[in-house]
Amino acid sequence: MKPFAFTFLLLWSCGFAGAQTSALNGQVGNIDAQRAAISAERSRLEVGFLTEDAACYKKFAVNSCLEKVNIRRREAMADLRRQEILLNDEERKIKGAQQIRKTEEKSSPEKLQEEADRRTKAAEDYQSRLEREKGKQQERGVAASNEAAAREANTAKLQAHQKKIQARSEQQAGTVEKAKEFDARKAEAQERRAQHEADQLKRVKPPAKPLPLPQ
């Protein structure tokens, strides 16, 4: 079948289906109108029968009069009821036809294409959400990795600073200790020198006394 012919057939079938749907909807509206007319007729007849009932009580043969009114009431109401039953049957048929039409419309090429497009779009949306979530997870992973690297760098920097402070403290302590050691050696050397000088003085003989002058 040529594309133009297929398109024309599809449009014609859609138009025909739309016309059928409109016709069925119109029939339902007509049934509602007839049902309303029957209800109005029932009310009108009931008012008339009540008037006749009241008139019967003014007659001598009340029961006979009431019986005749009731017979005509039952016949009239039964006829209206038969009309309602026919309308109900017709309404059920129309609703059944509408349901069949809806089922056929769901199976039409146009509806099938719409459903396929809807499923395709849903799959694309789902895939897009997966990609976005994957990107967010990667971003969170990179951020966590950068944070861990920053923590390690800060820890290493802190440890290096602490080692530097400790080395400086040890150096200062060594300098003080060396100064004390130097002072101790200096004092010891001074003490030895003083002792040596004292020993030297002890070993030196005192000068001889001068001879007495002749008299």
Side-chain angles (χ1 to χ4, degrees), residues 33-49 76-77 79-80 83-84:
Q34 293 183 51
R35 187 177 285 115
I38 291 173
S39 178
E41 180 65 13
R42 180 181 288 109
S43 298
R44 187 188 68 80
L45 291 175
E46 187 62 32
V47 171
F49 290 134
M77 296 303 173
D79 182 63
L80 293 177
Q83 294 181 36
E84 285 182 335

Side-chain angles (χ1 to χ4, degrees), residues 145-159:
S145 178
N146 292 337
E147 184 178 355
R151 285 198 303 269
E152 292 178 358
N154 291 333
T155 301
K157 185 177 180 180
L158 179 61
Q159 290 176 350

Side-chain angles (χ1 to χ4, degrees), residues 102-164:
K102 289 180 180 179
T103 303
E104 291 176 350
E105 288 177 353
K106 290 181 180 179
S107 302
S108 66
E110 184 180 13
K111 292 295 182 180
L112 293 176
Q113 184 62 41
E114 290 178 358
E115 182 64 19
D117 293 342
R118 186 189 65 79
R119 287 195 298 268
T120 301
K121 187 177 185 304
E124 291 175 351
D125 292 341
Y126 177 72
Q127 186 64 30
S128 179
R129 288 195 299 271
L130 288 180
E131 292 295 333
R132 288 196 299 270
E133 184 61 26
K134 184 178 179 181
K136 290 180 180 179
Q137 290 179 355
Q138 290 178 349
E139 291 177 358
R140 288 194 292 268
V142 171
S145 178
N146 292 337
E147 184 178 355
R151 285 198 303 269
E152 292 178 358
N154 291 333
T155 301
K157 185 177 180 180
L158 179 61
Q159 290 176 350
H161 182 66
Q162 290 176 346
K163 288 181 179 179
K164 187 176 181 180

